[in-house]
Amino acid sequence: MNSKSGYNRLFDPMAETGQALDFSQHGLGQKTVGNPFSVKAKMSVRNLNVYYDDKQAIHDVSLDINRNEVMAMIGPSGCGKSTFLRCLNRMNDTIENCNVNGEVTLDEQDIYHKKQDVVPLRARVGIVFQKPNPFPKSIYENVAYGPKVHGLVSRRAQLDEIVEDSLRKASLWDEVKDRLFSPGTGLSGGQQQRLCIARTIAVSPEVILMDEPCSALDPIATARIEELMAELSQNFTIAIVTHSMQQAARVSSRTAYFHMGRLIEVNDTRRVFTNPEHELTEAYITGRFG
Amino acid sequence: MERHISQRFDSDLEALKSQVLEMGGIVEQQIIDSVKAIESVNRPLAEHVLEVEDDVDRREVLLDENCTMILACRQPAASDLRMVLSVTKMTRDLERMGDEAQKIAQMAIALSDDGAAPGGYEEIRHMGALVQKMVNSVLDAFARFDADKALDVARADTQVDREYKSAMREIVTYMMEDPRSIGRVMNILWALRSIERIGDHARNIAEHIIYLVKGYDVRHTSVHEIEKRLNKP
């Protein structure tokens, strides 16, 4: 069954409002439709399975994320998109009962290799969370902390340069340049989130993961972050998890749709939002189930 | 496909569909009446066609307003987005069909005032019947979201274009045979031109339906290419 037949029943008087979908009838368990693979992948995931104790949260997901692309991950709550995102820089290692198997590579290097140190990995693959979480330090220190810890600077002038450059790239410099030594927690929500992005950028990552980075922000702050994502994608590879489908449509070049731990469809964003290939993607983005 | 979680969104889309079909029904009747008025030299019927035009225009504006509200409030995606986009385009084509029917009615009034033309009525009847069938089928295709039926309408337009060319040759013959009748024959010619344009608009609507149902934009392509896209022999 595919999405093409779906419209014919849009106004079917027999269709009952709120009737649950029978997922076994909708191609769950089949392979992902669309174009999950690429020849210019920055990160590659193959046959990823994630378990929380006995409960399987991700089922056999394979996906490539291209260099300098913004990849959006969408899906209903509990579909595994955030779990998947956290596998990309091993944030799930911090969860005791979480068990990950499969292959995840960054520039063809296995990030789950036993000799892989997660600290430099997380500098290369940074993450921005839903809730802005600046350190209880000054704006300057928030950005300077990473480069200092990772030993990226030897002189103060060099550190100043990184702080300014990162704040500029995060579109925050003009708003904070006169109060760099005020506490980061004193900024507005949107500014704090841009500060967290500056902090991530400061260690020169190659990939930036964003887990619902705008869900706690007002529309103006959201617009700023979205604008920023477009600029950042010139230099970085971005993977974003979002509950806002309009945001996914606006910021990404490819969109991945997750459903019950499975990767259902990956396609060009334009295609996903105008003519998705899979019936489940269609049902989700048109608001036919939650 | 299940219904939307928001039942109001379902009702909004259902209302949009009904409104298009109602408007289509009125325009279809306008076309039938205008062709009949010219064939049977029926001035009152032609005048009635002109009177209906205001209602058609009003419906076009209302449908556009409703589409704008859905876009603004619901931010539709995928098939819902294609539905709203197609409806805005379809209503424009329907309104222009109404305009063409109005022109035919005006020609009917002119012929009723100036006296009948020496020929061309058979062509009006024949092409009028073809185009009426197209309009009826295209509205049916929309009601059923039937891309195959829409494809049939696109095919029929090719036949209408052929008939129009052949009718033009006949009309020129009438003019050459009796130059005094040129003015009246010109009225027939304009009416035929309008009938042919109605066929073009029906084809446009068929293309919008194919986009709505299949997601393929088949504008500015040949019938052969559309068939290939829809995997038809």
Side-chain angles (χ1 to χ4, degrees), chain A residues 3-4 6-13 15-17 19-21 246 272-276 279 282-283 285-290, chain B residues 1-7 9-10 13-14 17 74-83 144-146 211-216:
Chain A
S3 64
K4 305 308 173 296
Y7 213 87
N8 297 332
R9 284 178 287 129
L10 172 57
F11 300 117
D12 181 357
E16 286 174 30
T17 304
Q19 186 185 2
L21 284 171
Q246 277 70 38
V272 169
F273 287 93
T274 57
N275 193 16
E279 188 175 17
E282 167 99 15
I285 66 167
T286 56
R288 287 187 168 81
F289 67 88
Chain B
M1 185 68 64
E2 306 304 307
R3 300 203 145 220
H4 291 90
I5 295 160
S6 161
Q7 294 181 34
F9 192 9
D10 276 332
L13 288 174
E14 281 176 52
K17 185 182 181 190
R74 304 281 178 190
Q75 287 125 38
S79 54
D80 297 334
L81 176 64
R82 299 201 303 271
M83 167 79 173
R144 296 160 194 259
F145 297 128
D146 185 341
Y211 174 69
L212 187 165
V213 179
K214 299 286 183 185
Y216 308 141

Side-chain angles (χ1 to χ4, degrees), chain A residues 52-272:
Chain A
Y52 293 111
D53 291 325
D54 293 339
K55 189 182 176 304
Q56 190 165 3
I58 299 278
H59 295 258
D60 201 31
V61 167
S62 295
L63 173 67
D64 287 340
I65 299 171
N66 293 330
R67 218 169 286 277
N68 299 101
E69 84 168 335
V70 180
M71 158 76 82
M73 287 148 199
I74 59 169
S77 293
C79 68
K81 55 192 187 298
S82 290
T83 298
F84 176 81
L85 192 80
R86 288 199 301 266
C87 289
L88 300 179
N89 73 346
R90 292 184 55 175
M91 287 301 284
N92 285 330
D93 289 10
T94 59
I95 300 170
E96 204 176 300
N97 60 348
C98 182
N99 180 18
V100 178
N101 67 53
E103 188 185 70
V104 182
T105 62
L106 172 64
D107 288 336
E108 298 177 3
Q109 300 289 311
D110 181 7
I111 67 166
Y112 280 88
H113 192 277
K114 58 185 178 205
K115 287 186 180 163
Q116 172 71 54
D117 181 352
V118 295
V119 176
L121 170 70
R122 288 178 194 151
R124 290 178 71 192
V125 185
I127 189 161
V128 176
F129 294 98
Q130 179 176 7
K131 208 171 158 217
N133 53 354
F135 303 136
K137 288 174 178 288
S138 70
I139 294 167
Y140 183 97
E141 277 301 319
N142 261 278
V143 184
Y145 182 78
K148 280 200 279 191
V149 166
H150 289 285
L152 301 178
V153 286
S154 50
R155 290 176 296 112
R156 171 76 190 207
Q158 210 179 351
L159 192 58
D160 288 351
E161 204 176 299
I162 288 179
V163 169
E164 180 176 340
D165 186 49
S166 304
L167 287 168
R168 278 190 191 280
K169 279 186 181 147
S171 300
L172 191 60
W173 175 252
D174 288 339
E175 291 162 61
V176 300
K177 64 184 176 197
D178 299 325
R179 48 171 170 152
L180 287 175
F181 296 97
S182 310
T185 47
L187 296 171
S188 72
Q191 288 172 326
Q192 285 188 20
Q193 193 64 304
R194 278 181 283 150
L195 179 61
C196 292
I197 293 172
R199 189 176 67 188
T200 307
I201 295 169
V203 292
S204 301
E206 293 154 53
V207 180
I208 301 175
L209 310 176
M210 295 185 168
D211 193 356
E212 297 180 45
C214 300
S215 60
L217 305 183
D218 70 26
I220 294 167
T222 299
R224 288 221 169 90
I225 303 274
E226 288 179 5
E227 196 65 19
L228 180 58
M229 275 185 240
E231 284 165 31
L232 294 177
S233 67
Q234 314 279 325
N235 303 310
F236 307 99
T237 298
I238 298 176
I240 174 175
V241 162
T242 175
H243 270 304
S244 161
M245 281 176 281
Q246 277 70 38
Q247 180 169 68
R250 284 190 296 265
V251 303
S252 68
S253 53
R254 278 198 307 156
T255 297
Y257 174 63
F258 285 79
H259 191 101
M260 294 173 80
R262 289 170 168 91
L263 180 55
I264 303 296
E265 174 168 353
V266 184
N267 254 320
D268 288 351
T269 298
R270 187 184 282 219
R271 165 98 203 244
V272 169

Side-chain angles (χ1 to χ4, degrees), chain A residues 25-63:
Chain A
Q25 300 295 310
H26 291 269
L28 274 182
Q30 290 175 6
K31 64 177 190 169
T32 304
V33 302
N35 55 349
F37 304 118
S38 163
V39 287
K40 49 171 187 174
K42 178 73 184 170
M43 294 199 80
S44 284
V45 178
R46 292 292 179 272
N47 308 108
L48 186 77
N49 290 283
V50 180
Y51 302 82
Y52 293 111
D53 291 325
D54 293 339
K55 189 182 176 304
Q56 190 165 3
I58 299 278
H59 295 258
D60 201 31
V61 167
S62 295
L63 173 67

Side-chain angles (χ1 to χ4, degrees), chain B residues 54-105:
Chain B
D54 282 350
D55 185 27
V56 172
D57 291 349
R58 194 178 51 77
R59 285 170 187 272
E60 184 200 13
V61 172
L62 182 69
L63 267 158
D64 272 354
E65 274 175 19
N66 292 345
C67 287
T68 306
M69 280 308 290
I70 290 177
L71 287 171
C73 302
R74 304 281 178 190
Q75 287 125 38
S79 54
D80 297 334
L81 176 64
R82 299 201 303 271
M83 167 79 173
V84 177
L85 290 177
S86 302
V87 165
T88 57
K89 291 174 182 172
M90 275 192 270
T91 47
R92 182 183 295 183
D93 278 305
L94 284 174
E95 193 274 334
R96 288 189 180 170
M97 280 179 173
D99 286 347
E100 298 298 338
Q102 202 179 3
K103 287 181 198 164
I104 298 168

Side-chain angles (χ1 to χ4, degrees), chain B residues 181-223:
Chain B
S181 70
I182 285 179
R184 283 169 289 146
V185 176
M186 284 295 282
N187 289 332
I188 294 285
L189 188 147
W190 294 128
L192 281 170
R193 171 77 186 143
S194 287
I195 292 174
E196 190 271 336
R197 287 297 298 145
I198 290 171
D200 291 342
H201 289 299
R203 181 192 163 133
N204 290 348
I205 294 178
E207 290 171 353
H208 303 323
I209 293 168
I210 290 170
Y211 174 69
L212 187 165
V213 179
K214 299 286 183 185
Y216 308 141
D217 191 343
V218 294
R219 290 173 301 168
H220 315 300
T221 56
S222 66
V223 169

